Structures are given as C-alpha cells and as structure tokens.
Amino acid sequence: MDPANTVAIAEAMFDIIDLVGEFEKPIFVSYDKSICAHSRSGQTGCNNCIDNCPTSAITSDGDHILVNNEICDGCGHCSASCPTGAIAYAMPQRSDLIGRSQVLLSTYLGAGGKNAVLLVHESSHGGDLISAIARFGDGLAENILPFSVHSTTHIGHDALAAFFTSGAQSVILLVSQKNRNELDALNIQIDLTNTFLDGMGFDENMRVSLLVEDDPDIVAENLSAIPAIKTPAIKNFTASKNKRETARLAIGNLNAMAPQKLELLALPTGSPYGAISINTDTCTLCLACVSACPASALGDHEERPQVSFTEHACVQCGLCKTTCPENAISLTSQFNFDKSALSPVVLNSEEPLECTRCGKPFGSKSAIDKVIGILAGKNPMFQTSKQLDLLKMCDDCRVISMSETEKDPMTFGTVPQTLTAE
Ligand code: SF4
Ligand code: SF4
C-alpha cells in the first residue's frame, strides 16, 4: 500500500476490524548462517540485507543476522543483495525461478519466436495492467513475454544474467509506483548485470531496464519502443540453489555468447566479486585474515606460514582488511573469467622459523622479527640479546630456558611476613 494514500489507509483500517481468526503467513526467505559474511570478531563485514530491508525485519545478531519472519513482507531485497546466498528467497527458489524462465523462453523461441522481451512483473501489480494492454489499443506484441513473480525486487544479477543466456533479447522489470522509494538494491543488481553486458560488447538494447509505472498506456508505449536486435545463440545451464555457482555459470555462459570475450572485467566498488592483494613487506603471516574470512576464500598451510586465496569464493566483504593488524590487505572489485579464479593461489609464504633450541618449526620469521622490534630495549624483560633470544624459541624451550637462567622468574625469593592487625 502506498503510505501517501490516506484514503487507502483509512479503508484498510476499517477492513482490519473484520479480520478476526487465524491466518497463515508464508516464510519468504531461508537463512544459512554458515555462509553469512555479516561479522567476525566484532568487525562488521556485509550489512547488505540489514541496510536494504524496508521493514527492518533483519537485525544484527553477533556474527550473524536474525530474520523476523512475522515482520518480513517478502520483498526479497535481502536475497538479491546477499553476496554469498546465505539469505535466499524461497517463493520460488533461485533454481525454480531460472528453470521457469528457461521453459518460457525456449517454448517461445522453439515455436519460431524472435526478439523475446522478458517482462518481469509482480503478480499483484502487472497482471491486470498487462491484460489491459493486451485488450485495448494495439494490444501486446507477441515478443513481449510476461513473467509473473511474487516480488520483482528479489531478483538478483545471477537470475538476470541467466535470462539472457536463455534467449531474452531484453529484460524489463515492471514495478509499481508505490515501491518507487525502495529500489536501491534492485538498481544495484540491474547496474551490475548491465556492466557485464556492456563490457562483453552486447548490443546496447540487450540490457535490463527498470520500468516504475502503473499506467498501462505508458507501459505499452515503453514496450513498443524496444527495437528488435540480432540476438546471440542461447547457452542454457542448470541452475542450482547455490547463488555463487549459479551466478558464475550464468556470467560465464554470457561471456561465451559475447561478441567480445573477456578474461577480466573491472567492476564498481562494492560488487560481490573481486581479488585481494597482500603487501608482503608488511604482512607478518599472523593468519588473522584467514580466521576472519567467512567465505573460505583465504586458506593457510598445515606445515608453513602461508596465506592462499581463491578469487571465486571472495565476496569482497572486507573482513580480512579490517582484521589485518598490519593494514597489509587491499581489495579490488573485478570478475575473473579465467579458470585460475577457482583454485587457490599463494599470496604470501615463508619458511617456518625453527626454534633455536630444539629445532621445531613454531612460527613465522616476520612475526617474530616484528615482536622483537617492538620489545627490544623497550620492555624491561627484553633488554639483553640473551633475553631476546628467548623469543626465537618455541613455547616449551622458552620456559625451560627461563628456568635455567640465574634469574628464574619462577623464583620469588623470601616471602615477606604477612602483616595482620594483631
Ligand atoms: S552475507 Fe547475506 S545474510 Fe549475511 S549479512 Fe550479508 S546479505 Fe545478510
Ligand atoms: S578474502 Fe577478505 S574480502 Fe574476500 S571474502 Fe574473505 S574476508 Fe571477505
């Protein structure tokens, strides 16, 4: 309901009086906290769903988020903007949405149809409007394929890219004027999809457009203005429930269809794809970034100090950057089409430092050098080279070595007599 429409609000208030009894409310989204990138160790990473929920149904809950299903209105902004797929729309699920669009487009194209324009609309908004266009005036052109969904705003760039791989020439998202103030998240998804289409050199009419309109005449005018273009051969795929896998398949197939095939595409800052780089001069291989990464994009090595990075898994949440005590990490928004993005690459590595007493590997040279630099001559316990040598030993040898010195820190000397009031 349009909050500015006072008459509609008054009518709704009267209707509420008669609404007595029980009702069932759908649960619109599912949430998998194991892949949520909201927060780690008190640092905030992704806040997309919280920032974009128009009903404030999503709140922060430590490292994760909480969805209040009683308040959730089912708009799906959270699902569209979630970089990991942790929060996912359930009416329908991603795989069903894409599968249904593939059936519609392949049926139309298989029957000899050309220049398919997918007109995505909400069942509660576009149905009557499209019916009016079909019955009056010039009618609805045969290449306009209405595609009804519960909410237009739940559609992310993964599904938008998939519509083109299935043969859509253009995609129009029809939204009611009453939702005009809640379109930021959808616009980001549209811009991201169009950035891919633009970078790949597709015809300028092969794009996603947003049409915020309630007037059938204006909608009809906009639809009739879409020129027919030469469309590439389709490249369908089977979508899964996994958002990032589905997106990579859709974007990869789009690239395979493109006039200009890309290996790397720079994306706007804040996009959910990209790389990180580590300044190896300042990185001490403390591995705080590996522990902070919620997407398993960063990994370590069992036997040596090492950070490796898998680009495809990185959602650019920035938690590694904010967690790094040395400010050694920087982020770059980009999409890497090369297969190398799927495998880990080593960003920094060192031979492990061996204990000077027993020879056991116990840490990284950079980290120990950094600690020595901080403590040497400044801390009363680390004034001499002999005292600093303790830092080059493993935990066990350090304790043994300290107990062997003349000044055993465990020796307290004579305990002073306890003073009492007597
Ligand atoms: S990762 Fe998804 S569910 Fe987690 S905070 Fe971001 S948008 Fe919300
Ligand atoms: S590598 Fe950094 S930016 Fe990428 S997902 Fe992991 S913590 Fe986030």
Side-chain angles (χ1 to χ4, degrees):
M1 182 184 300
D2 184 351
N5 188 342
T6 48
V7 175
I9 291 171
E11 280 173 1
M13 297 297 281
F14 282 118
D15 289 345
I16 285 170
I17 297 166
D18 297 326
L19 296 177
V20 179
E22 292 182 0
F23 68 95
E24 285 185 3
K25 183 181 180 303
I27 294 178
F28 291 102
V29 293
S30 60
Y31 174 59
D32 177 359
K33 70 178 181 183
S34 69
I35 52 170
C36 175
H38 175 53
S39 170
R40 293 293 181 277
S41 313
Q43 302 286 340
T44 300
C46 173
N47 222 35
N48 287 0
C49 56
I50 296 173
D51 290 345
N52 287 304
C53 178
T55 59
S56 301
I58 306 179
T59 46
S60 175
D61 183 32
D63 283 355
H64 306 111
I65 54 122
L66 261 186
V67 183
N68 185 335
N69 286 311
E70 280 157 33
I71 303 177
C72 170
D73 197 25
C75 66
H77 285 102
C78 54
S79 166
S81 59
C82 179
T84 63
I87 197 159
Y89 209 66
M91 291 185 62
Q93 292 181 351
R94 174 174 301 104
S95 49
D96 295 336
L97 174 84
I98 294 174
R100 191 159 69 88
S101 71
Q102 288 172 339
V103 170
L104 175 66
L105 285 158
S106 63
T107 306
Y108 170 73
L109 297 171
K114 286 189 169 50
N115 303 109
V117 174
L118 198 65
L119 178 59
V120 185
H121 67 90
E122 291 181 4
S123 37
S124 59
H125 171 244
D128 291 344
L129 194 149
I130 293 166
S131 168
I133 297 173
R135 283 183 289 120
F136 303 108
D138 294 336
L140 192 68
E142 64 170 18
N143 67 326
I144 309 291
L145 307 184
F147 187 64
S148 170
V149 291
H150 180 76
S151 167
T152 321
T153 46
H154 89 272
I155 296 178
H157 68 279
D158 48 323
L160 292 172
F163 296 157
F164 289 101
T165 64
S166 310
Q169 171 206 292
S170 314
V171 175
I172 312 289
L173 299 175
L174 180 61
V175 177
S176 170
Q177 285 277 0
K178 74 175 191 228
N179 298 121
R180 64 189 174 278
N181 296 324
E182 298 169 1
L183 299 173
D184 290 353
L186 184 61
N187 273 318
I188 289 171
Q189 297 304 308
I190 292 173
D191 288 349
L192 183 56
T193 314
N194 286 341
T195 301
F196 282 113
L197 292 164
D198 196 33
M200 292 170 189
F202 286 109
D203 186 288
E204 62 178 9
N205 290 294
M206 191 169 158
R207 295 286 185 278
V208 186
S209 331
L210 182 62
L211 184 52
V212 186
E213 193 49 68
D214 296 338
D215 184 330
D217 289 335
I218 298 178
V219 174
E221 216 174 280
N222 276 276
L223 294 177
S224 64
I226 300 169
I229 58 166
K230 190 168 179 299
T231 47
I234 66 170
K235 207 161 175 12
N236 269 328
F237 65 96
T238 304
S240 74
K241 285 184 190 166
N242 183 311
K243 180 172 188 172
R244 290 188 73 85
E245 266 176 24
T246 300
R248 187 160 184 95
L249 271 172
I251 296 163
N253 281 10
L254 211 49
N255 196 35
M257 295 157 59
Q260 201 173 294
K261 301 203 185 349
L262 301 172
E263 285 179 5
L264 195 72
L265 179 68
L267 295 176
T269 306
S271 299
Y273 304 101
I276 70 159
S277 54
I278 293 182
N279 181 345
T280 51
D281 292 338
T282 52
C283 169
T284 59
L285 283 162
C286 70
L287 305 182
C289 54
V290 176
S291 312
C293 179
S296 302
L298 290 172
D300 55 7
H301 193 283
E302 276 180 11
E303 289 169 6
R304 53 187 295 144
Q306 178 171 298
V307 179
S308 59
F309 174 67
T310 307
E311 184 166 344
H312 167 60
C314 176
V315 298
Q316 296 280 290
C317 66
L319 278 169
C320 53
K321 184 177 169 177
T322 48
T323 306
C324 176
E326 310 302 335
N327 287 326
I329 295 182
S330 51
L331 274 60
T332 307
S333 295
Q334 62 181 31
F335 193 94
N336 185 349
F337 293 86
D338 194 79
K339 271 197 283 195
S340 61
L342 302 172
S343 311
V345 289
V346 175
L347 296 186
N348 196 14
S349 178
E350 267 182 22
E351 288 303 321
L353 188 70
E354 290 174 356
C355 170
T356 49
R357 185 177 168 123
C358 71
K360 186 173 84 177
F362 76 102
S364 78
K365 183 175 178 308
S366 313
I368 299 300
D369 284 350
K370 174 102 185 173
V371 174
I372 290 174
I374 292 169
L375 297 178
K378 296 171 199 138
N379 186 302
M381 286 181 69
F382 298 99
Q383 297 293 319
T384 66
S385 61
K386 204 170 176 189
Q387 287 170 324
L388 287 169
D389 283 346
L390 291 172
L391 295 170
K392 297 174 188 163
M393 295 176 193
C394 67
D395 291 349
D396 293 344
C397 290
R398 194 176 311 133
V399 173
I400 294 167
S401 187
M402 285 169 82
S403 65
E404 287 170 355
T405 58
E406 285 173 16
K407 281 191 176 176
D408 181 356
M410 306 305 284
T411 306
F412 291 97
T414 313
V415 179
Q417 190 183 357
T418 309
L419 297 175
T420 66
E422 291 176 6

